Amino acid sequence: MHTIRTTPDNIRLQAIDTNVTKTPYYGINGGFFWEGALLSIAVINDQPLKGLPGDYGSGWYNTGVDTNLKRGTLVWDDITKRFSIQVVTNAGELTVTDKHHYWAQGGVSMRLNDSFGWENDMISEEMPAYDESRMRTAIVYDNLENMYMIVTPTYCTIAEFRTAILETLGDRRIVDGIYLDGDGSSQMQCRYVRLNGDHRQVYQMLALIQ
């Protein structure tokens, strides 16, 4: 399991159309997609990455088989300097102090503090292949608002991935997080690590600004 620790001010949501390891950026893959359309919320200051608010595939919606799907979304409020996980269908439902000062990345809720209900919530949010062994990607944050971008090239179920995160980062006082797209899309690039998943192209990533 590989982790990049950074701060929310050092993150830029970035639209791409290649493998993360072929970009000039350090970072990890983002949310779910289908044929180039973003199926997870990816917005900066109320503007989706690929189009206009309300456009399908732009990053405005969390969507899947169910077009009214509500999924866990990591929200950074740049006014209060606080993270939250909000379960919404579209970016218009997000609660922030100022719509011109935030970013939000959609995924699937982890519910790290809920030992009993987390699995039902994850299933209701339609996490793909949760009980199969796949490569995995996630983001979590701690009580000091540091964030940890996590990718494992080791094939595992969601339950195994969640347990490994809690065991590895448990002393960091982590609060919560979201699962991102996984399997061949689980990709990371930093100074010492290059994980290219199954070499596929992805369409959105979380990139380090510096």
Side-chain angles (χ1 to χ4, degrees):
M1 194 165 73
H2 300 276
T3 303
I4 298 173
R5 176 186 171 185
T6 189
T7 61
D9 293 330
N10 193 38
I11 288 293
R12 179 178 64 245
L13 306 188
Q14 182 75 39
I16 60 175
D17 58 0
T18 188
N19 195 278
V20 166
T21 63
K22 293 183 178 180
T23 72
Y25 312 116
Y26 286 171
I28 63 170
N29 65 286
F32 302 97
F33 62 87
W34 177 252
E35 295 182 345
L38 303 186
L39 304 185
S40 298
I41 286 174
V43 297
I44 304 171
N45 301 333
D46 235 27
Q47 295 299 310
L49 295 191
K50 296 182 66 174
L52 299 173
D55 287 352
Y56 172 81
S58 66
W60 189 251
Y61 297 98
N62 286 323
T63 187
V65 177
D66 177 359
T67 56
N68 294 312
L69 184 62
K70 290 183 180 292
R71 273 179 164 166
T73 303
L74 178 68
V75 182
W76 172 248
D77 188 321
D78 199 38
I79 301 298
T80 62
K81 302 294 184 184
R82 301 287 293 179
F83 276 120
S84 62
I85 304 291
Q86 301 183 32
V87 181
V88 299
T89 299
N90 65 72
E93 300 171 13
L94 296 172
T95 300
V96 294
T97 306
D98 185 337
K99 291 283 189 173
H100 296 99
H101 294 89
Y102 82 101
W103 59 258
Q105 173 66 61
V108 170
S109 300
M110 296 186 79
R111 300 269 189 249
L112 290 178
N113 293 314
D114 185 352
S115 300
F116 301 101
W118 72 268
E119 191 167 17
N120 286 335
D121 288 341
M122 175 268 297
I123 293 171
S124 71
E125 293 183 21
E126 298 182 5
M127 179 71 205
Y130 63 88
D131 57 350
E132 299 176 16
S133 288
R134 304 284 180 92
M135 293 179 279
R136 304 288 180 183
T137 303
I139 315 170
V140 301
Y141 64 95
D142 66 21
N143 64 342
L144 297 177
E145 312 303 324
N146 297 303
M147 60 183 291
Y148 304 80
M149 302 189 291
I150 306 163
V151 175
T152 179
T154 302
Y155 285 69
C156 59
T157 65
I158 281 294
E160 291 167 340
F161 187 40
R162 184 177 185 274
T163 296
I165 289 171
L166 287 169
E167 289 178 350
T168 304
L169 297 176
D171 61 344
R172 302 295 182 93
R173 297 184 179 179
I174 54 175
V175 177
D176 208 352
I178 57 171
Y179 304 107
L180 296 173
D181 197 3
D183 202 30
S185 298
S186 286
Q187 300 167 16
M188 172 185 282
Q189 180 160 256
C190 60
R191 182 173 299 174
Y192 303 111
V193 177
R194 295 178 76 250
L195 303 174
N196 56 25
D198 64 0
H199 303 277
R200 75 178 61 172
Q201 65 187 132
V202 298
Y203 294 92
Q204 189 247 314
M205 69 177 292
L206 293 97
L208 299 184
I209 295 172
Q210 58 184 11

